[in-house]
Amino acid sequence: FVQRRRPDIAEWREGNLFPRRETKELTYTLTGAWERFFDAVLDYCADIVEAAGGDERRQRLNFWGTLALMRCVASSPAAAVQALRTRAGLEEEESEDALRDRVFDGGSDSLPDDDVEPAAGTDDPALNDLIAQAERLAGQSGDPKLRLLTDHLEQLIADGFNPVVFCRYIATAHYLGRHLEGKLKGVTVGVVTGELPSDERKERVDTLGDAERRVLIATDCLSEGINLQEEFDSVVHYDLSWNPTRHEQREGRVDRFGQEREVVRATLMYGANNPVDGAVLAQLGRGPHRLGHAGA
């Protein structure tokens, strides 16, 4: 076997076959109602795990289930509402291995494109208050993460880029699509999720590619299999993945042979004091972090 890397190719061919990748990190801060909501969800999750008592298997199932719920909360108010509204007995619906894979986005050689929000797992009356809080936080004024994305997309578009925004859950993708449609003047916004069969995903991407200025909102159903380099030239990681291979796959959709731009951009978004994002960054080797309250 012979393995050739990009620098090897550059040595024997004049001109640039591949674009240069520029990376950037953007952070937002949880304050006020958002920080209180995170604290309330963390308290709820702690209560669920404690309610398992001495049943070790149930403890583990509840732990993985509530961690998946917290990922939804970190993703968007819409994903949080969807997860909180879904009732299911976790010990009956999913195995511990399945829940762990859902949280960690699969292994390095097995990357599922499951973008459905997990169930909260109980009929606790406290969920109604959490759902109401999440619904109030939706939108430009209450969601600092969405506001940061909007500002960044406006800058990318002004610089002549056509971005792909990757998020973890279906509800988040549609949430972004609703709020960005019409907000970005002269730009066509499209949404592709795992709800669509693979041929329809490709068709929707092709149709969006006909627009003069465009933004694609997608879940990880598009992080492999469909090349995007002809229609798009920048990637925004709206939601972090706990699997670093996933990040490279997302960026590889536009940073590949056939990309006409000399420079592509990749942006990583996360909460500066978001406990879930902090735990993900630690998983990615970005430093230690203890999953605790947002203000901790």
Side-chain angles (χ1 to χ4, degrees):
F1 293 91
V2 176
Q3 181 182 35
R4 302 195 191 280
R5 301 178 182 272
R6 291 190 184 188
D8 300 326
I9 297 174
E11 289 180 0
W12 57 263
R13 185 191 186 280
E14 294 183 3
N16 185 25
L17 276 176
F18 301 98
R20 184 177 79 255
R21 188 185 307 185
E22 294 181 348
T23 61
K24 183 176 185 177
E25 295 185 2
L26 294 176
T27 62
Y28 61 93
T29 303
L30 297 174
T31 60
W34 249 116
E35 188 171 15
R36 291 193 294 273
F37 175 59
F38 255 83
D39 285 348
V41 172
L42 287 170
D43 288 341
Y44 163 78
C45 290
D47 290 343
I48 292 298
V49 174
E50 185 177 350
D55 187 334
E56 293 186 3
R57 179 177 180 275
R58 185 178 177 85
Q59 281 183 346
R60 293 194 303 270
L61 286 170
N62 285 358
F63 171 77
W64 292 114
T66 54
L67 190 53
L69 168 62
M70 286 189 285
R71 289 201 64 191
C72 287
V73 174
S75 178
S76 72
V81 168
Q82 183 64 33
L84 290 165
R85 281 180 172 166
T86 304
R87 307 291 192 265
L90 293 177
E91 71 278 4
E92 298 175 0
E93 297 291 330
E94 293 190 86
S95 68
E96 183 179 348
D97 288 342
L99 285 168
R100 187 186 297 109
D101 281 347
R102 179 190 287 264
V103 169
F104 289 110
D105 300 330
S108 59
D109 57 352
S110 175
L111 296 169
D113 60 2
D114 179 12
D115 48 12
V116 178
E117 304 76 17
T122 72
D123 292 312
D124 192 331
L127 289 177
N128 292 328
D129 181 59
L130 293 177
I131 290 171
Q133 290 185 59
E135 290 175 333
R136 288 195 297 268
L137 291 170
Q140 294 284 338
S141 60
D143 187 346
K145 186 178 180 183
L146 174 60
R147 187 164 58 247
L148 179 65
L149 174 68
T150 304
D151 292 343
H152 182 54
L153 290 179
E154 289 175 344
Q155 184 60 59
L156 283 174
I157 292 164
D159 291 343
F161 287 90
N162 295 298
V164 183
V165 181
F166 279 105
C167 42
R168 179 64 179 85
Y169 299 109
I170 292 172
T172 300
H174 288 301
Y175 169 73
L176 297 183
R178 288 194 303 271
H179 286 280
L180 292 173
E181 186 71 45
K183 182 72 174 178
L184 304 172
K185 298 187 182 301
V187 177
T188 302
V189 178
V191 177
V192 175
T193 72
E195 298 165 297
L196 301 173
S198 57
D199 56 340
E200 289 187 27
R201 299 174 199 173
K202 181 65 167 62
E203 182 179 346
R204 185 164 296 187
V205 169
D206 291 341
T207 300
L208 186 59
D210 293 334
E212 183 177 356
R213 306 306 305 276
R214 51 201 174 272
V215 171
L216 172 61
I217 312 296
T219 62
D220 284 316
C221 70
L222 285 187
S223 67
E224 57 181 338
I226 296 180
N227 295 332
L228 304 174
Q229 73 272 19
E230 294 182 1
E231 296 89 5
F232 302 93
D233 44 35
S234 58
V235 167
V236 179
H237 302 279
Y238 190 73
D239 289 332
L240 300 178
S241 172
W242 280 36
N243 190 330
T245 303
R246 179 69 76 191
H247 287 174
E248 183 59 34
Q249 281 195 326
R250 292 172 175 177
E251 295 174 15
R253 295 305 92 203
V254 303
D255 182 6
R256 61 192 303 113
F257 178 73
Q259 174 60 252
E260 294 185 356
R261 290 191 69 111
E262 293 185 359
V263 174
V264 296
R265 292 183 181 175
T267 306
L268 197 69
M269 289 182 55
Y270 58 90
N273 64 336
N274 182 324
V276 178
D277 284 353
V280 177
L281 289 171
Q283 174 73 14
L284 297 177
R286 296 285 298 276
H289 191 281
R290 179 177 59 85
L291 189 62
H293 279 63

